[in-house]
Amino acid sequence: MTNRLMTFAKNIGKKILSRFRAQSPVKKILFTGAFLAGFFLVFFAALFILVWMGVFGRLPDRDELRAVENPLATEVYSADSVLLGKYFIQERSNIQYADIPQHLTDVVLATEDIRFFEHGAIDTRSLTRVFFKSILLQRESSGGGSTLTQQLAKNLYPRKNYWLFSTPINKMREMIVASRLEDIYDKPAILTLYLNTVSFGDNTFGIEAAAQRFYSVHARGLSVDQAAVLIGMLKSTYAYNPRIFPERSRQRRNTVLDQLQKYNKLSQAEADAKKKLPIKLQYNKITHHTGLAPYFREYIRQELKEWCRQHTKPNGDPYNLYTDGLKIYTTIDSRLQQYAEEAVNKQMVSLQKVFRNHWGKRDPWQRTPELLNEAIRKSDRYKSLSAEGLSHDKIMQVMKTPVLMSVLMDNGEQEIMMSPVDSIRHYLKFLQAGVLAMDPKQGAIRVWVGGINHHYFQYDHVRESTKRQIGSTFKPIVYAAALENGVDPCDFFSAAKVEYTNMQGWTPENTEDNYDLKYSLTGGLAYSVNTVSVRVLEQAGIDNTVALARRMGIDSDLPAVPAIALGAANISMMEMVRAYACFLNNGKRVEPFYITAIADRQGQVLEAFEPEQQTEQALSPEHAQMMVHMLKRTIDEGTGAGMRTRYGINNEMAGKTGTTQSNADGWFIAMTPNLVVGAWVGADDPRIRFRSTALGQGARTALPIVATFFQKVNADKELASISRAHFPELSSSQQRKISCDLYRSDTNVFQRIFGKKEKETKRAFGEKEKKKNGFFRRLFGKG
């Protein structure tokens, strides 16, 4: 049977071949053409069927296309609904059809698909034009044959490599997907999807993201010529990028304007006028470092990634922080955040110049030369070269070679030649800052500034894991413990020096020569007198003080030593602000709270969060209120008086300055009825610091940041709830308890007449001080 079929086929072939040879040349050509046409028709029909069947890869069905969602950046919003920033792999922002201005639609259609609203998924007229003009006549200006819907299909499902048949197979896939899209969506929806998915280069996707990137406006705010520049880029996002090739981009824009004029979307005069306009970009490079509160956004990123791992979408997949377009609502106030960042920038630019002049040509680490070597070995470049197997000497040779790099200078970013070693030396000399503001009642974080520049310095000086010595800002906790232990605000304490024999001769000293004075509890706190603070700690008890600090929210290690009275402990900014908030919250502990809700890309809330209700009473309401009013004296008359005298801040305010040993850290924490603001200034390495307390104290480094911040807050009438708030009045009995002088003389008449002072005493810490009952003291009283 098989042999018969083969014989039959051979005979038929011979007859066809003999007839073909007998034909004239013209008929041979026609026959060949018909045969080839038939062959390709059958071939492409078969190929189309195979594509449709999914042989070359699964095609999305209609259910999948109905739920199509392009990757979308997660957006982080402030409490006042301002976009703070995004988490993304590709920068994308979606818009609605109502947000697309008519002239933008005209530009898109005139350039890409003028008959978009007239044809279906496939434009047969365009395909015919492409076949004759582009393929047969080789005219590049004839345009492409893909409709806008086919281009959308390509955007949603990028092309694959099928070797010699890549183009026809991909085109067929796009035709099939486009036909399904047209069955599901109307034309406005398809146009919107297209503009939300198309790439504009620079890792930017969608017209909204492109408008913000190149012109710093929303898509609805684009002018005709700006829209022509962006849509003109679609032919080649690199070749026509206006940032890289402005002249080429201008020419391409004018071609787009010609298209608008050709299709009567612009008059000739309008087109000519717009062609004369220069391309003026307002380029806004959006990165994870830009936008408000970058340190805060980085801080919550890890928490959000964990939330995504634990929560699933309707299809069962876990949420993706970078592609699922979540909306994160936070407690940050964009106005307060903006003012705080501006205050940090203003103060730190000024202070940095003072610091450089203070050290001159000398390195701040001249007494600790190992500091630079440590920094070099910790650098990413050193670690990378070491991982490649290079020796230390070879690494240093590479790192001492100048290269072109972007460097942060006092006046901004500059491109200069600098070796990696010199760049490390350069950045070591920068002072850093941190600012945190919290609502003392709810614990809502309103401001988070973790450093001076997130692009160059990612180390966050606000988060709990960052701990620095806190100096005198710890003293209010010592004084509160004393109140809790029965000490009266008007009890007086001598400021005389004491050598503590059971503390290896430790002798606390004051910054001023005030050892012959006595200070009330309020006065010792207002003037931050070290010798008095140690005596107050003796009355309060170290264990009681540590226990109170724990109840107020300080979880860091607290050494049970007398030096704790002077702030010898290393504590985070977050803990200190939380502890101060306790004073304003009637003695109840306050927990930080910074995320209010997480929603999906449609705005449907997936989870809402409430502040943690605290019932633990850290200290009595009476003593908490008294501490606030005692700390008001610090601002009005004490170490924080610069807020009033130098900066004219007249808000009702309490607070405390702090300066650590050798001026390594400067602190200031301010309390207003509705806001606690903490500020810290210092170098990343505490061995780098001012040599002078006059320059390095908290009142000169950190306080100006808070003062500048409140100047801006006070000028904003919308923030009157903060700037014009008042502390609750003390009861008459409380008022009587704190109504006394801040200090008085601790010398008797004989000493005042002859100028003699009490000698420094020696005793063990905790040992009761001996009363001095000499003749003049018995005669004239305790003085």
Side-chain angles (χ1 to χ4, degrees):
M1 185 67 179
T2 303
N3 292 334
R4 288 180 182 179
L5 288 174
M6 291 181 65
T7 302
F8 177 76
K10 286 180 181 180
N11 292 333
I12 293 295
K14 287 178 180 180
K15 288 180 180 181
I16 293 174
L17 187 60
S18 63
R19 288 185 179 182
F20 176 75
R21 288 172 177 170
Q23 301 298 321
S24 65
V26 174
K27 288 186 176 181
K28 286 182 178 180
I29 293 174
L30 292 175
F31 181 86
T32 302
F35 175 79
L36 291 175
F39 172 79
F40 281 113
L41 182 64
V42 173
F43 174 78
F44 281 108
L47 187 63
F48 184 86
I49 293 172
L50 292 174
V51 172
W52 182 79
M53 293 175 62
V55 173
F56 297 99
R58 176 183 170 275
L59 291 172
D61 58 25
R62 284 172 172 76
D63 289 337
E64 181 179 338
L65 291 174
R66 283 191 185 93
V68 66
E69 291 183 341
N70 57 295
L72 192 61
T74 289
E75 297 176 329
V76 183
Y77 288 93
S78 67
D80 51 333
S81 302
V82 172
L83 179 64
L84 298 176
K86 303 177 182 181
Y87 303 111
F88 58 88
I89 298 172
Q90 298 172 334
E91 167 56 4
R92 292 178 184 266
S93 294
N94 283 353
I95 57 172
Q96 303 299 317
Y97 183 70
D99 295 324
I100 303 174
Q102 183 58 46
H103 63 262
L104 176 56
T105 299
D106 293 340
V107 171
V108 174
L109 299 188
T111 308
E112 299 295 323
D113 188 355
I114 191 61
R115 299 181 59 252
F116 173 68
F117 284 100
E118 300 172 19
H119 60 65
I122 301 166
D123 187 358
T124 54
R125 184 191 301 181
S126 293
L127 284 177
T128 304
R129 183 193 70 239
V130 169
F131 178 77
F132 284 102
K133 291 187 177 182
S134 297
I135 298 177
L136 297 183
L137 300 179
Q138 296 295 303
R139 292 181 182 175
E140 294 183 3
S141 61
S142 64
S146 293
T147 64
L148 210 65
T149 313
Q150 287 174 261
Q151 294 181 50
L152 170 60
K154 183 173 67 175
N155 293 340
L156 293 174
Y157 302 97
R159 291 182 171 181
K160 299 178 181 179
N161 184 7
Y162 299 102
W163 297 93
L164 293 176
F165 299 103
S166 290
T167 298
I169 291 175
N170 280 311
K171 283 286 187 181
M172 290 175 185
R173 286 173 59 87
E174 290 160 12
M175 288 179 180
I176 295 170
V177 173
S179 297
R180 293 176 182 177
L181 285 169
E182 290 269 355
D183 290 342
I184 297 169
Y185 298 102
D186 59 18
K187 289 291 188 178
I190 290 174
L191 176 61
T192 305
L193 274 172
Y194 172 78
L195 285 174
N196 282 335
T197 57
V198 69
S199 170
F200 288 88
D202 285 7
N203 197 37
T204 303
F205 292 79
I207 188 64
E208 177 68 13
Q212 294 183 28
R213 172 64 64 92
F214 289 95
Y215 290 106
S216 297
V217 298
H218 292 290
R220 61 177 176 270
L222 287 170
S223 62
V224 174
D225 60 295
Q226 289 172 339
V229 169
L230 295 180
I231 299 304
M233 291 174 65
L234 300 182
K235 186 174 182 180
S236 175
T237 57
Y238 178 75
Y240 297 111
N241 188 314
R243 178 178 62 86
I244 305 172
F245 305 109
E247 177 56 28
R248 195 183 297 169
S249 175
R250 187 188 66 82
Q251 294 174 2
R252 176 61 181 162
R253 177 203 65 182
N254 291 349
T255 299
V256 174
L257 293 172
D258 285 337
Q259 289 291 100
L260 287 169
Q261 189 271 325
K262 174 182 175 181
Y263 294 114
N264 298 317
K265 303 301 181 182
L266 283 180
S267 67
Q268 184 67 57
E270 289 174 324
D272 290 342
K274 294 185 184 302
K275 288 180 185 179
K276 295 177 182 178
L277 295 174
I279 293 180
K280 293 183 178 179
L281 300 181
Q282 290 185 346
Y283 193 78
N284 178 25
K285 187 176 182 180
I286 302 171
T287 70
H288 298 295
H289 306 301
T290 57
L292 286 173
Y295 291 91
F296 170 74
R297 286 186 277 118
E298 176 59 25
Y299 176 78
I300 65 173
R301 184 173 65 88
Q302 296 302 326
E303 289 188 27
L304 292 172
K305 286 176 67 177
E306 182 60 30
W307 183 93
C308 288
R309 280 192 287 268
Q310 296 177 3
H311 293 77
T312 58
K313 294 180 285 188
N315 65 2
D317 294 335
Y319 282 98
N320 187 306
L321 182 63
Y322 304 101
T323 61
D324 282 333
L326 298 174
K327 299 180 187 300
I328 313 300
Y329 298 98
T330 73
T331 62
I332 294 290
D333 186 297
S334 68
R335 299 159 300 180
L336 296 177
Q337 181 70 31
Q338 181 71 43
Y339 296 154
E341 291 185 13
E342 290 173 356
V344 167
N345 183 64
K346 180 180 179 180
Q347 164 64 359
M348 297 311 294
V349 167
S350 173
L351 189 64
Q352 194 63 52
K353 293 177 181 177
V354 173
F355 187 69
R356 293 190 190 281
N357 292 334
H358 173 68
W359 282 99
K361 295 182 179 180
R362 291 172 293 178
D363 290 326
W365 55 85
Q366 59 182 3
R367 294 184 178 179
T368 53
E370 69 278 2
L371 188 152
L372 177 60
N373 294 328
E374 292 172 7
I376 291 172
R377 290 178 180 273
K378 289 179 182 178
S379 68
D380 291 338
R381 191 181 295 261
Y382 186 98
K383 292 177 180 178
S384 176
L385 293 172
S386 179
E388 294 176 12
L390 275 67
S391 66
H392 173 74
D393 291 342
K394 184 62 177 177
I395 292 173
M396 292 306 296
Q397 181 182 344
V398 173
M399 293 188 66
K400 288 180 180 180
T401 303
V403 295
L404 182 65
M405 64 173 67
S406 179
V407 179
L408 181 66
M409 309 298 285
D410 291 345
N411 56 349
E413 191 176 69
Q414 294 182 18
E415 291 277 341
I416 62 174
M417 294 294 293
M418 180 180 283
S419 73
V421 167
D422 285 339
S423 73
I424 293 171
R425 295 171 64 94
H426 173 72
Y427 289 124
L428 278 175
K429 297 177 183 178
F430 271 83
L431 294 176
Q432 297 295 324
V435 177
L436 183 70
M438 177 191 288
D439 179 330
K441 302 298 191 299
Q442 291 187 329
I445 300 297
R446 301 302 185 194
V447 168
W448 186 306
V449 184
I452 61 172
N453 187 302
H454 192 261
H455 179 71
Y456 289 94
F457 305 100
Q458 274 108 54
Y459 190 73
D460 189 344
H461 294 278
V462 166
R463 63 192 308 156
E464 297 98 323
S465 58
T466 302
K467 303 178 189 296
R468 296 291 291 241
Q469 201 172 83
I470 38 80
S472 296
T473 52
F474 190 81
K475 288 177 181 176
I477 298 173
V478 176
Y479 284 65
L483 290 178
E484 291 281 283
N485 204 40
V487 178
D488 191 87
C490 286
D491 285 349
F492 278 77
F493 295 82
S494 171
K497 280 187 182 181
V498 176
E499 179 184 330
Y500 293 100
T501 55
N502 59 341
M503 296 293 162
Q504 299 179 333
W506 178 58
T507 307
E509 295 185 349
N510 300 329
T511 56
E512 298 179 8
D513 186 14
N514 53 2
Y515 300 107
D516 58 342
L517 298 179
K518 270 192 171 183
Y519 288 84
S520 65
L521 199 68
T522 304
L525 184 58
Y527 288 104
S528 198
V529 185
N530 289 338
T531 53
V532 169
S533 297
V534 176
R535 285 182 166 90
V536 172
L537 179 66
E538 289 185 281
Q539 294 292 316
I542 292 178
D543 291 342
N544 292 335
T545 302
V546 170
L548 176 60
R550 292 276 182 257
R551 294 196 300 272
M552 293 177 74
I554 295 178
D555 300 321
S556 296
D557 181 49
L558 298 175
V561 295
I564 196 175
L566 311 183
N570 292 316
I571 302 175
S572 69
M573 169 74 78
M574 180 71 76
E575 293 170 289
M576 290 305 299
V577 169
R578 179 168 57 184
Y580 273 61
C582 185
F583 292 133
L584 293 172
N585 197 33
N586 288 319
K588 287 186 178 180
R589 176 172 171 152
V590 182
E591 290 299 328
F593 163 62
Y594 37 80
I595 298 176
T596 58
I598 299 175
D600 62 18
R601 64 172 64 198
Q602 283 80 34
Q604 185 71 34
V605 174
L606 301 172
E607 187 171 1
F609 304 90
E610 296 291 337
E612 185 176 338
Q613 297 297 323
Q614 288 294 326
T615 58
E616 180 184 355
Q617 197 74 42
L619 71 159
S620 71
E622 179 185 18
H623 291 150
Q625 292 173 3
M626 291 175 68
M627 282 300 305
V628 170
H629 284 265
M630 288 166 63
L631 285 166
K632 282 179 63 179
R633 301 289 290 270
T634 304
I635 302 298
D636 295 337
E637 306 172 58
T639 57
M643 293 289 286
R644 311 289 195 208
T645 59
R646 280 189 286 141
Y647 296 99
I649 303 299
N650 296 316
N651 307 58
E652 189 144 335
M653 182 179 292
K656 187 71 187 75
T657 57
T659 308
T660 63
Q661 191 172 8
S662 302
N663 313 301
D665 306 271
W667 291 81
F668 181 62
I669 303 179
M671 296 185 292
T672 64
N674 296 320
L675 199 67
V676 181
V677 184
W680 165 90
V681 172
D684 278 336
D685 192 310
R687 291 172 291 183
I688 298 174
R689 57 208 177 201
F690 280 105
R691 290 165 294 163
S692 163
T693 301
L695 295 174
Q697 60 181 295
R700 293 290 178 177
T701 59
L703 183 147
I705 293 176
V706 180
T708 304
F709 168 74
F710 273 103
Q711 286 175 338
K712 295 175 181 293
V713 170
N714 292 347
D716 190 333
K717 294 180 180 179
E718 294 183 358
L719 297 172
S721 61
I722 294 173
S723 59
R724 298 181 183 177
H726 295 278
F727 292 120
E729 294 291 334
L730 291 177
S731 66
S732 56
S733 62
Q734 289 176 310
Q735 190 63 49
R736 285 194 298 271
K737 286 184 178 181
I738 66 169
S739 296
C740 56
D741 294 334
L742 296 182
Y743 62 88
R744 62 192 185 195
S745 176
D746 193 25
T747 57
N748 56 40
V749 174
F750 178 83
Q751 292 166 331
R752 289 196 289 270
I753 293 174
F754 294 99
K756 296 182 67 176
K757 297 182 180 181
E758 294 284 356
K759 292 183 178 180
E760 178 182 311
T761 60
K762 294 184 179 183
R763 63 178 177 84
F765 181 83
E767 179 183 331
K768 193 172 182 180
E769 284 195 87
K770 296 178 181 179
K771 293 185 177 180
K772 301 169 185 176
N773 294 315
F775 172 75
F776 287 101
R777 191 170 293 273
R778 291 194 302 273
L779 181 63
F780 296 103
K782 289 189 285 185

